[in-house]
Amino acid sequence: MQMLTKFETKSSRVKGTAFHPKRPWILASLHNGSIQLWDYRMGTLLERFDEHEGPVRGISFHPTQELFVSGGDDYKVKVWNYRTRRCIFTLQGHLDYVRTAYFHPEQPWIITASDDQTIRIWNWQSRQCIAVLTGHNHYVMCAQFHPTEDLVVSACLDQTVRVWDISGLRRKNAAGAPPVDPFSAQRANAQGDFFNVTDVVVKFVLEGHTRGVNWATFHPTMPLILSCGDDRQVKIWRMNDSRAWEVDTCRGHYHNVNSALFHPKREFILSDSEDKTIRIWDTTRRTLLQTFRRDQDRFWCLNAHPELNLFAAGHDNGLIVFKLERERPAAAVYQKSLIYVKGSQVLYDSNPIASIRTAPAGQYLPPPRTLSYNPTEQAVLLTSDNEGGTYELYIGGKTHRGSGKCAIWVGRNRFAVLDNTDVIIKDLANTTTKTIKLPVPVEAIFNAPGSQILLATATSVQLFDVQTRQVVAEINAAPVKYIAWSADMSSVALLCKHTITLATSQLEQMCQIHETIRIKSATWDASGVLLYTTLNHIKFALPNGDSGVIRTIDNPVYLVRVAGGEVHCLDREADVKVIKIDPTEYQFKLALLQHNHDKVVAIIRNSNLVGQSIIAYLQKTGYPEIALHFVRDDTARFELALECGDMDIALETAKAIDKPAYWHKFSQEALSRGYIGMVEQAYQRTKAYDKLSFLYSITGNLEKLGKMHKIATMRNHMESRLQTSLLLGDVEDRVQALADSGQSALAYLTAKSHGLADKAEAIREAAGMDGADTGESHTLLVPTMPVTSLVDWPQLQTTKRTFKLDEPSENYNVAETLETDEVFGDRTVAPAPAAADIETGWDIDDAELQIDVELQNDAEFMPPQPGSSGAPNSQNAVEQIAAGNFERAIQLLNKQKGISSFATLKPMFMDIYTGSQSVLTAQSILPNQSAQMYSMASALEKLQQGYDATTNAQFADALHIFRQLLLSLIFISDDDTDEVLAVCREYILGISMELERAAITDNPARLVELAAYFTHCQLRTDHEKLSLRLAMTTAYKHKCFKAAGEFAQRLLDLAPAPQVADKARKLITICDRQSRDSLEINYDAQKPLVICAASHTPIYQGEAAANCPYCQASYKPEYRGNLCHICTVAKI
């Protein structure tokens, strides 16, 4: 038997605990007067309640309402609402410490026990005491209601246990009974006590303890009572309608026994004591089965979950939530059949095929942990943790047993057993045929294709060939608990405590999924999607690492098979269940990942896939045009339409919203794309008259410009009137506008200069001015007349295609479309200019190259002209650079990769160009040398150099290497460039933060923040361990214990070296006691975040962010328009 710890806290002494009946919550009442509410699944403190004055001893949740009750040494009983997080009211009446407080399972009652030698029953609805139970003559340590009957049991330091009958109280307070005046009720109770006819009467007095009794409780279903006390004994009592008697006594504790309880599902008794132990007893035999000991902590209370196999024990330094045995049923799948263990039977699709060994009387035998099935011989292998690890072979009605941690089938007639450091191969008769010495210590073995097996070590998983006795492949992973193979054995999922690693059959990692709560099981869908379960969710994981929630579950289940929209699973009772799921979301995302256009269109047409998460996913993955089909909100549709360039939908939604801010944004986007008609409409909606005038002027629309002049005159807006008259060349109206606005001198000079003598004289006389000589030679200022009037800019038809529901999808090449989209986006690309028209941007002259190559023939050598060595219309920037078409290459790089600053790239341009001009006479058949100048092979070499520099802490050199590599990837066309680019981005960001941290001398909070942010860069595992160690040490030195503990836990999850792991565990122990940060740091490990590459501050999930179009580095919105700090060549 094992104590499987699920949750543990560090605090002052815990005097009481209570499980919530439905939610994963536990209350802890502390000796320092505080009440803590914990989520034991997530391991987080939800709330703290601090209204009691002195220790809080009694605590209990209401079975159905959002209430809990507490009692303490301040003589008060408080009722709390945990939803509003406040105390509703206080019940006062006890005259000494309140020891326990419990709700009645059905009635609106609370029962409390106190050191004032009384037990009180309260009606929490009327907030009045309805009964006072007297009779004990010492401190009453405990009082509880019976789960189903009208009984109360109490334990007292007067060495007695009393059973009380409260049926009269129930009848008195039954529905429909007349209300009772409290004063008359007190007089009636006093008179009733005198004549011995009260509402609550003592039914039994149980005497047998030789010292004070600390605890008494009922069995949930049987007529049994359990008590324990300072005589170090646990006693079992049986009762009937007429009497109660002692059945037996469990002896073994050597100090006061503070609490005891019946196991709700097994024939066990649990007790805890001040001797620092929790002991497990057999109920029927009354024998000790197991003892769990803590070195430093005395135990004070014990509690069982009302529905789950969970227990909580409070001790001197906190509490612990645990269970006594694994509840995962041993099972295996063969084709469409399920083989599993239930009770003492091995079932094949619910049909028994073998009976397994059961525990002898008075002993405990742990259930089987794993099952391996041999369909050829119809044989079953079971392994369990009994006696350090044993296996049992069931074949042909016979049973063979042996010792070993794991046992799996490796052939038709042989199986492998892991025994310490050896793998032993045995035949069907359980005879050893081969012993294989393993190269490293192994914790478990799992099946693999052919004659191979998987060896799980503390830090990795190895693919081991049994025949050749060699390690074929290896992958780094935290300790693996279970694995799941796909149906064709091409992919495997390695399940750890909090991570899942997806890999190929040769252990090449595809992705890794992290969870904050425990992962329970996994299985593969027929389409290649992994479905897995946590404690409360069924989730999916795609091969690229995307994951999501399929549905919520009430209790943990263990997946065995997925068929269409049904998940077949086992629960903890080993019952087969079929859960309906909706696979639409992960099928849709898989179709997007595989570029399956037909399936995407079919899902959009036939499903009701909606929600903000799917829209955000489509935006994130670059499919805003698909997201448009799911959005009905006009604001969201407007943003998506602008993002994917669908200006028609953007115009439609802008009309529906009809707000100036949206029209302004729409006009800017339409103007950048050349949709003049839409720009005009947006300006008209916002009455932007000045912008309209300028638009009509530059597009040559003089007719509408004249209308704008009339509007300006009607509005009496002199500035606009003067401007439009100037643009139209209307001198007379310009003179009149100046005169009307009071500028008589300017009006006179304008009229005089343009030959309007009569008008000028009239203005002079009206203003009383002297005449002025304007000279003789004057030219009328008239704007240049446009040759033609344009409506919209000409658009180049490209092969881009979006997902439209009204178009046929046959013969549609998604790969070609996506490639074109990535290159061209939504903007038009002008045709390449002729060679003669090219003007190089950097004054490149062929003469400066001084190429002097000895030719093998007498023909005169003609150096290639710009544009001659590559296709003139090529969309490959490298080919255009090699041809000397620098301007064309700059255009392509700007449109394809978002590059906007090319000064840094000049040396690379020169390398490619000069390389293309070289001639190798002996190897004339070689391809263009420029293509080999920047290759993936050289990039991978440089990547390794960057890794080595990082490992050696040469951060300045590493930063230079990664940045040069990042820039060289611009000129490499390979499927793996995105992955290498992402690596460079993360390392540049992390090293930049580390260099900033090294330069700080007087800001300890910033030191801790930068070290914390460094751990969120996606680094290689060994570098991630180093960053976590750095962050852990930095945080601890500056007394940020909470953060240091989190870094240490993350470090342990990566399975570091033993000495490092030991230090991390010790640090966690220290930090858990402190559990606070002395510095105020801008860091929350519980929220997903990315790091702003400019300010080196966190951007949490849901906050606005901007990205670099080339390297995809993240920034805060205020840096939009600046050069990227990572790649230095693209604007954010």
Side-chain angles (χ1 to χ4, degrees), residues 294-316:
R294 290 181 74 95
D295 295 332
Q296 305 296 330
D297 302 322
R298 297 170 295 174
F299 288 100
W300 298 98
C301 57
L302 195 62
N303 191 21
H305 195 285
E307 296 182 3
L308 305 179
N309 182 26
L310 287 176
F311 302 91
H315 53 76
D316 284 333

Side-chain angles (χ1 to χ4, degrees), residues 495-562:
L495 277 64
C496 307
K497 185 177 181 180
H498 292 289
T499 60
I500 298 177
T501 303
L502 301 187
T504 64
S505 58
Q506 294 302 309
L507 296 188
E508 297 171 352
Q509 181 170 322
M510 295 189 290
C511 66
Q512 196 170 64
I513 297 98
H514 296 270
E515 292 288 342
T516 56
I517 57 177
R518 291 180 178 86
I519 298 167
K520 307 305 292 184
S521 65
T523 188
W524 290 84
D525 188 10
S527 59
V529 177
L530 182 77
L531 273 69
Y532 64 98
T533 59
T534 61
L535 285 170
N536 50 4
H537 288 110
I538 299 178
K539 296 188 172 184
F540 69 86
L542 300 181
N544 67 340
D546 288 336
S547 61
V549 176
I550 297 177
R551 63 165 293 167
T552 303
I553 51 179
D554 296 330
N555 295 308
V557 294
Y558 304 92
L559 304 184
V560 294
R561 181 170 169 264
V562 181

Side-chain angles (χ1 to χ4, degrees), residues 406-479:
C406 302
I408 58 171
W409 294 101
V410 293
R412 182 181 58 83
N413 55 3
R414 58 192 183 131
F415 62 94
V417 178
L418 175 63
D419 187 13
N420 295 325
T421 60
D422 300 336
V423 170
I424 303 172
I425 308 300
K426 297 192 175 187
D427 58 17
L428 298 178
N430 201 30
T431 303
T432 302
T433 60
K434 185 190 299 183
T435 300
I436 302 172
K437 291 286 185 182
L438 297 177
V440 292
V442 174
E443 297 181 354
I445 59 175
F446 303 99
N447 63 309
S451 61
Q452 300 170 332
I453 59 175
L454 291 176
L455 307 179
T457 70
T459 59
S460 67
V461 174
Q462 298 177 346
L463 184 61
F464 186 80
D465 194 305
V466 175
Q467 294 181 350
T468 62
R469 304 189 181 191
Q470 292 182 346
V471 176
V472 179
E474 185 174 8
I475 185 172
N476 293 329

Side-chain angles (χ1 to χ4, degrees), residues 371-392:
L371 182 151
S372 183
Y373 180 66
N374 184 340
T376 306
E377 302 294 335
Q378 295 185 350
V380 175
L381 272 172
L382 297 177
T383 60
S384 72
D385 297 326
N386 187 35
E387 299 176 358
T390 59
Y391 71 89
E392 296 181 2

